[in-house]
Amino acid sequence: MKKRSKRKNIFILVVLILGIIQFIPVDRTSKAVDASKDFIALHKPPAGVEKMLRMACYDCHSNETRYPWYAHVAPISFWLQNHIKGGRHHLNFSEWGDYSAKKANHKLEECYEMVADSEMPMSTYVWMHGEAALSDEQIKTLNSYFISLRGPEMTPEGDLSDHGLD
C-alpha cells in the first residue's frame, strides 16, 4: 500500500508542477520584419529555393517564426523558444541587410556547411515538420544557390566534391 501511495503522490506532484509551469510566460515576440533587409527580398532566389528556405530555415532563423500549437505547452515551449532564440542569434535572414559583406559571406559558408553536413534543418525540427526535410537533390540545389552568392571559394579548399556538388 505504501508503494502505491508514494507513486500516486509523485504522480500528483508531477501533474501539479506541469500545470503550474503552464503559467510561466514565454516571450514569442519578434522584431518587425523590414522587407528591405530580408535575405529573400534582397537576393530574390528562384521560387524553389525560396520555398526551401521558408520551409526549412525561416521558422528558427528569421523574425517570421510560425509557432505550432505545442509551442504553447510547457516545458516544450521553453525548449522551443530557446532553440529559436539561438537560431536567430547565429543567423537571422530577416536582418540579412544589416550584415557586413564579410559577415554575410561567412554566414553563406556556414549555411552551406550546415546543410551539406545535414546539421540543418535540425532533426528535432524535421520530426514535427516533415516538409522541412531536404532531399539530396534539394541539398544540392540549396547549396549551389549559396555558392552562387559567394562563389566557389566558399569551401576551404575550393573543392566542392566533398559535399557532392562538383
Side-chain angles (χ1 to χ4, degrees):
M1 287 262 189
K2 284 191 174 192
K3 273 192 174 187
R4 179 181 277 179
S5 179
K6 188 174 183 177
R7 279 191 239 162
K8 184 178 177 182
N9 288 341
I10 291 171
F11 176 76
I12 290 171
L13 180 64
V14 168
V15 169
L16 282 172
I17 290 170
L18 288 174
I20 291 168
I21 67 173
Q22 300 310 308
F23 296 101
I24 299 172
V26 173
D27 182 13
R28 291 184 196 85
T29 58
S30 294
K31 293 180 186 175
V33 176
D34 179 351
S36 69
K37 295 180 181 181
D38 183 71
F39 179 87
I40 289 173
L42 289 169
H43 292 290
K44 298 177 181 33
V49 171
E50 178 180 348
K51 183 178 178 183
M52 283 184 266
L53 288 168
R54 290 200 184 279
M55 298 305 289
C57 309
Y58 262 56
D59 267 351
C60 295
H61 295 284
S62 79
N63 296 334
E64 299 180 41
T65 303
R66 296 168 294 137
Y67 287 97
W69 66 268
Y70 54 85
H72 301 278
V73 179
I76 296 168
S77 58
F78 307 139
W79 177 77
L80 186 64
Q81 193 59 31
N82 186 51
H83 275 272
I84 292 168
K85 184 179 177 183
R88 287 178 184 163
H89 174 75
H90 290 292
L91 169 67
N92 191 331
F93 285 113
S94 295
E95 298 174 6
W96 191 265
D98 289 336
Y99 292 167
S100 68
K102 183 178 179 179
K103 184 173 183 176
N105 280 334
H106 179 70
K107 295 299 178 185
L108 286 168
E109 186 170 354
E110 287 179 337
C111 288
Y112 171 91
E113 290 172 356
M114 298 298 273
V115 171
D117 293 340
S118 298
E119 292 182 42
M120 288 288 156
M122 293 176 66
S123 59
T124 52
Y125 181 77
V126 173
W127 291 341
M128 296 301 287
H129 302 273
E131 72 280 2
L134 298 173
S135 68
D136 289 343
E137 190 60 37
Q138 288 173 312
I139 289 170
K140 286 181 182 180
T141 299
L142 193 54
N143 275 343
S144 292
Y145 182 71
F146 292 144
I147 290 167
S148 75
L149 295 178
R150 182 157 189 267
E153 73 281 356
M154 181 180 293
T155 57
E157 299 78 32
D159 179 10
L160 306 179
S161 61
D162 290 345
H163 297 289
L165 294 171
D166 45 24

